[in-house]
Amino acid sequence: MIDFYFSPTPNGWKVAIMLLELGIPFQTHLMNLPSGDQLKPEFLAINPNGKIPAIVDHTNPKEPISVFESGAILIYLADKHEKFAPTAPLERKSMYEWLFWQAGNQGPMAGQLSHFVNYAGGDHPYALDRYKKETERNLAVLDRHLAQQDYILGAYSIADMMAFPWAFISKKLGIDLDQFPHVADWRGRIKKRSAVVSAIDLLKEHQFLGKTTTENNSVLFNQGANSVKS
């Protein structure tokens, strides 16, 4: 059994998709992020960064294994179950490139755009312009790549699972995918997969997008060093 620490967000969906694609048993633990579940000592023992997603794998014969960071979780699960990741060195190199691209470019830029679109309040024209353009630039990078193939690595893989969720919510971020036709087609193919449908629906009644107050906004976004100190 795997304990899955989750909230219905793009980053949570990445791992939810993988778990459901694998069809392995897992128990979902809803993390109430505006209430600060992610900052509790028991969760920081699993993920010292205090973010979702994270897993604890109880199937290891010696002791449970905890894994945090969505990319690391996807690699761990793919390697353990020998699915959705290439094994040949050059293909593996490409997989790492796109996973790191997502973690270092697409995800952070779209996440910051989401912050200023959905949560920040007030007028922030410079921030909105910067993060929207960076998000669109990343979509253009992906669009150019997908002009050559249906999926990021050729075959459906954890690279697609990693990048899909932020492309999935593009419209909510004010970005029209008509200008990125290959991304739009790729998004459509992935969106139809039964595991993806189930992942997006997982605990969706607990989504809090845009439902913020001064109090929970400070818990979600304005944590300093003390939030992760013991």
Short mmCIF file of all heavy atoms in Angstrom, two decimals, residues 43-73:
data_model
loop_
_atom_site.label_atom_id
_atom_site.label_comp_id
_atom_site.label_asym_id
_atom_site.label_seq_id
_atom_site.Cartn_x
_atom_site.Cartn_y
_atom_site.Cartn_z
N PHE A 43 4.02 15.80 8.72
CA PHE A 43 4.20 15.83 7.27
C PHE A 43 5.61 16.29 6.89
O PHE A 43 6.20 15.79 5.93
CB PHE A 43 3.17 16.72 6.59
CG PHE A 43 3.28 16.71 5.09
CD1 PHE A 43 2.95 15.57 4.37
CD2 PHE A 43 3.75 17.82 4.40
CE1 PHE A 43 3.08 15.53 2.98
CE2 PHE A 43 3.89 17.80 3.01
CZ PHE A 43 3.55 16.65 2.30
N LEU A 44 6.17 17.22 7.64
CA LEU A 44 7.53 17.66 7.36
C LEU A 44 8.53 16.53 7.53
O LEU A 44 9.61 16.56 6.93
CB LEU A 44 7.91 18.84 8.27
CG LEU A 44 7.18 20.15 7.98
CD1 LEU A 44 7.54 21.18 9.03
CD2 LEU A 44 7.51 20.66 6.58
N ALA A 45 8.17 15.51 8.32
CA ALA A 45 9.04 14.34 8.44
C ALA A 45 9.05 13.53 7.14
O ALA A 45 10.01 12.80 6.85
CB ALA A 45 8.58 13.47 9.60
N ILE A 46 7.97 13.65 6.36
CA ILE A 46 7.87 12.96 5.06
C ILE A 46 8.45 13.84 3.96
O ILE A 46 9.21 13.38 3.12
CB ILE A 46 6.40 12.61 4.76
CG1 ILE A 46 5.89 11.62 5.81
CG2 ILE A 46 6.25 12.05 3.35
CD1 ILE A 46 4.39 11.44 5.77
N ASN A 47 8.07 15.10 3.97
CA ASN A 47 8.57 16.06 2.99
C ASN A 47 9.11 17.29 3.71
O ASN A 47 8.34 18.14 4.15
CB ASN A 47 7.47 16.47 2.01
CG ASN A 47 8.00 17.42 0.94
OD1 ASN A 47 9.17 17.82 0.97
ND2 ASN A 47 7.15 17.78 0.01
N PRO A 48 10.42 17.40 3.85
CA PRO A 48 11.00 18.55 4.56
C PRO A 48 10.72 19.88 3.89
O PRO A 48 10.87 20.93 4.52
CB PRO A 48 12.50 18.23 4.57
CG PRO A 48 12.71 17.27 3.46
CD PRO A 48 11.45 16.46 3.38
N ASN A 49 10.29 19.85 2.62
CA ASN A 49 9.96 21.08 1.90
C ASN A 49 8.54 21.56 2.19
O ASN A 49 8.18 22.67 1.81
CB ASN A 49 10.14 20.86 0.40
CG ASN A 49 10.15 22.15 -0.39
OD1 ASN A 49 10.70 23.16 0.06
ND2 ASN A 49 9.55 22.14 -1.57
N GLY A 50 7.73 20.75 2.84
CA GLY A 50 6.39 21.17 3.22
C GLY A 50 5.47 21.46 2.05
O GLY A 50 4.69 22.43 2.09
N LYS A 51 5.55 20.66 1.01
CA LYS A 51 4.68 20.82 -0.16
C LYS A 51 4.10 19.47 -0.54
O LYS A 51 4.63 18.42 -0.19
CB LYS A 51 5.48 21.35 -1.36
CG LYS A 51 6.22 22.66 -1.13
CD LYS A 51 5.28 23.84 -1.09
CE LYS A 51 6.07 25.14 -0.97
NZ LYS A 51 5.16 26.33 -0.95
N ILE A 52 2.98 19.50 -1.30
CA ILE A 52 2.46 18.26 -1.89
C ILE A 52 2.93 18.21 -3.33
O ILE A 52 3.25 19.25 -3.91
CB ILE A 52 0.91 18.16 -1.79
CG1 ILE A 52 0.23 19.31 -2.56
CG2 ILE A 52 0.47 18.17 -0.35
CD1 ILE A 52 -0.28 18.92 -3.89
N PRO A 53 3.01 17.00 -3.90
CA PRO A 53 2.64 15.69 -3.35
C PRO A 53 3.81 15.03 -2.65
O PRO A 53 4.96 15.45 -2.78
CB PRO A 53 2.25 14.92 -4.62
CG PRO A 53 3.18 15.47 -5.66
CD PRO A 53 3.33 16.94 -5.34
N ALA A 54 3.50 13.97 -1.94
CA ALA A 54 4.50 13.09 -1.35
C ALA A 54 3.87 11.72 -1.20
O ALA A 54 2.63 11.60 -1.16
CB ALA A 54 4.96 13.61 0.01
N ILE A 55 4.70 10.70 -1.16
CA ILE A 55 4.19 9.34 -0.93
C ILE A 55 5.03 8.65 0.13
O ILE A 55 6.19 9.03 0.38
CB ILE A 55 4.20 8.48 -2.22
CG1 ILE A 55 5.63 8.21 -2.71
CG2 ILE A 55 3.35 9.12 -3.31
CD1 ILE A 55 5.74 7.15 -3.79
N VAL A 56 4.42 7.67 0.74
CA VAL A 56 5.15 6.72 1.59
C VAL A 56 4.80 5.33 1.08
O VAL A 56 3.63 4.94 1.07
CB VAL A 56 4.79 6.85 3.08
CG1 VAL A 56 5.55 5.80 3.90
CG2 VAL A 56 5.12 8.25 3.58
N ASP A 57 5.82 4.62 0.64
CA ASP A 57 5.65 3.29 0.06
C ASP A 57 5.87 2.25 1.15
O ASP A 57 6.99 2.05 1.62
CB ASP A 57 6.63 3.09 -1.08
CG ASP A 57 6.46 1.76 -1.80
OD1 ASP A 57 5.60 0.96 -1.39
OD2 ASP A 57 7.21 1.51 -2.77
N HIS A 58 4.79 1.56 1.53
CA HIS A 58 4.86 0.56 2.60
C HIS A 58 5.14 -0.84 2.06
O HIS A 58 5.14 -1.80 2.84
CB HIS A 58 3.55 0.55 3.40
CG HIS A 58 3.32 1.83 4.15
ND1 HIS A 58 3.87 2.08 5.39
CD2 HIS A 58 2.59 2.93 3.82
CE1 HIS A 58 3.50 3.28 5.80
NE2 HIS A 58 2.72 3.82 4.87
N THR A 59 5.37 -0.95 0.76
CA THR A 59 5.61 -2.28 0.19
C THR A 59 7.07 -2.69 0.27
O THR A 59 7.41 -3.84 -0.03
CB THR A 59 5.17 -2.33 -1.29
OG1 THR A 59 5.99 -1.45 -2.07
CG2 THR A 59 3.71 -1.91 -1.43
N ASN A 60 7.95 -1.76 0.64
CA ASN A 60 9.36 -2.12 0.80
C ASN A 60 9.50 -3.11 1.96
O ASN A 60 8.98 -2.88 3.05
CB ASN A 60 10.19 -0.87 1.09
CG ASN A 60 11.67 -1.16 1.16
OD1 ASN A 60 12.24 -1.78 0.28
ND2 ASN A 60 12.31 -0.70 2.22
N PRO A 61 10.19 -4.24 1.77
CA PRO A 61 10.23 -5.28 2.80
C PRO A 61 10.94 -4.87 4.08
O PRO A 61 10.64 -5.40 5.16
CB PRO A 61 10.97 -6.44 2.11
CG PRO A 61 11.69 -5.82 0.97
CD PRO A 61 10.88 -4.65 0.53
N LYS A 62 11.87 -3.94 4.02
CA LYS A 62 12.64 -3.57 5.21
C LYS A 62 11.99 -2.44 6.01
O LYS A 62 11.81 -2.54 7.21
CB LYS A 62 14.06 -3.19 4.81
CG LYS A 62 14.87 -4.37 4.27
CD LYS A 62 16.30 -3.95 3.99
CE LYS A 62 17.12 -5.16 3.51
NZ LYS A 62 18.53 -4.78 3.22
N GLU A 63 11.64 -1.38 5.33
CA GLU A 63 11.02 -0.23 6.00
C GLU A 63 10.31 0.63 4.97
O GLU A 63 10.65 0.59 3.78
CB GLU A 63 12.06 0.60 6.76
CG GLU A 63 13.14 1.18 5.86
CD GLU A 63 14.18 1.96 6.64
OE1 GLU A 63 14.03 2.09 7.86
OE2 GLU A 63 15.14 2.46 6.02
N PRO A 64 9.32 1.41 5.38
CA PRO A 64 8.62 2.28 4.42
C PRO A 64 9.59 3.28 3.80
O PRO A 64 10.56 3.73 4.44
CB PRO A 64 7.57 2.99 5.29
CG PRO A 64 7.39 2.10 6.47
CD PRO A 64 8.72 1.47 6.73
N ILE A 65 9.33 3.62 2.56
CA ILE A 65 10.15 4.59 1.83
C ILE A 65 9.30 5.81 1.52
O ILE A 65 8.23 5.69 0.91
CB ILE A 65 10.68 3.99 0.51
CG1 ILE A 65 11.63 2.82 0.81
CG2 ILE A 65 11.39 5.06 -0.32
CD1 ILE A 65 12.10 2.10 -0.44
N SER A 66 9.76 6.97 1.96
CA SER A 66 9.06 8.21 1.63
C SER A 66 9.76 8.89 0.47
O SER A 66 10.99 8.85 0.35
CB SER A 66 9.01 9.15 2.84
OG SER A 66 10.31 9.52 3.26
N VAL A 67 8.95 9.49 -0.40
CA VAL A 67 9.49 10.20 -1.57
C VAL A 67 8.73 11.51 -1.71
O VAL A 67 7.50 11.53 -1.67
CB VAL A 67 9.33 9.38 -2.87
CG1 VAL A 67 10.16 10.02 -4.00
CG2 VAL A 67 9.72 7.92 -2.69
N PHE A 68 9.47 12.60 -1.87
CA PHE A 68 8.82 13.89 -2.13
C PHE A 68 9.37 14.48 -3.42
O PHE A 68 10.38 14.02 -3.95
CB PHE A 68 8.99 14.86 -0.96
CG PHE A 68 10.39 15.39 -0.75
CD1 PHE A 68 10.76 16.62 -1.27
CD2 PHE A 68 11.32 14.69 0.01
CE1 PHE A 68 12.03 17.13 -1.06
CE2 PHE A 68 12.59 15.19 0.23
CZ PHE A 68 12.95 16.43 -0.31
N GLU A 69 8.67 15.49 -3.94
CA GLU A 69 8.87 16.11 -5.24
C GLU A 69 8.26 15.22 -6.33
O GLU A 69 8.60 14.06 -6.47
CB GLU A 69 10.34 16.42 -5.55
CG GLU A 69 10.91 17.58 -4.76
CD GLU A 69 10.23 18.93 -5.08
OE1 GLU A 69 9.91 19.19 -6.26
OE2 GLU A 69 10.01 19.69 -4.13
N SER A 70 7.38 15.83 -7.11
CA SER A 70 6.60 15.05 -8.07
C SER A 70 7.47 14.32 -9.07
O SER A 70 7.21 13.15 -9.40
CB SER A 70 5.59 15.96 -8.79
OG SER A 70 6.24 17.06 -9.39
N GLY A 71 8.51 14.97 -9.58
CA GLY A 71 9.38 14.30 -10.54
C GLY A 71 10.08 13.10 -9.94
O GLY A 71 10.18 12.04 -10.57
N ALA A 72 10.57 13.25 -8.71
CA ALA A 72 11.23 12.13 -8.03
C ALA A 72 10.25 10.99 -7.78
O ALA A 72 10.61 9.81 -7.92
CB ALA A 72 11.84 12.60 -6.72
N ILE A 73 9.02 11.32 -7.43
CA ILE A 73 8.01 10.28 -7.20
C ILE A 73 7.72 9.53 -8.49
O ILE A 73 7.64 8.29 -8.51
CB ILE A 73 6.72 10.90 -6.63
CG1 ILE A 73 6.98 11.55 -5.27
CG2 ILE A 73 5.63 9.83 -6.50
CD1 ILE A 73 5.82 12.41 -4.77
#
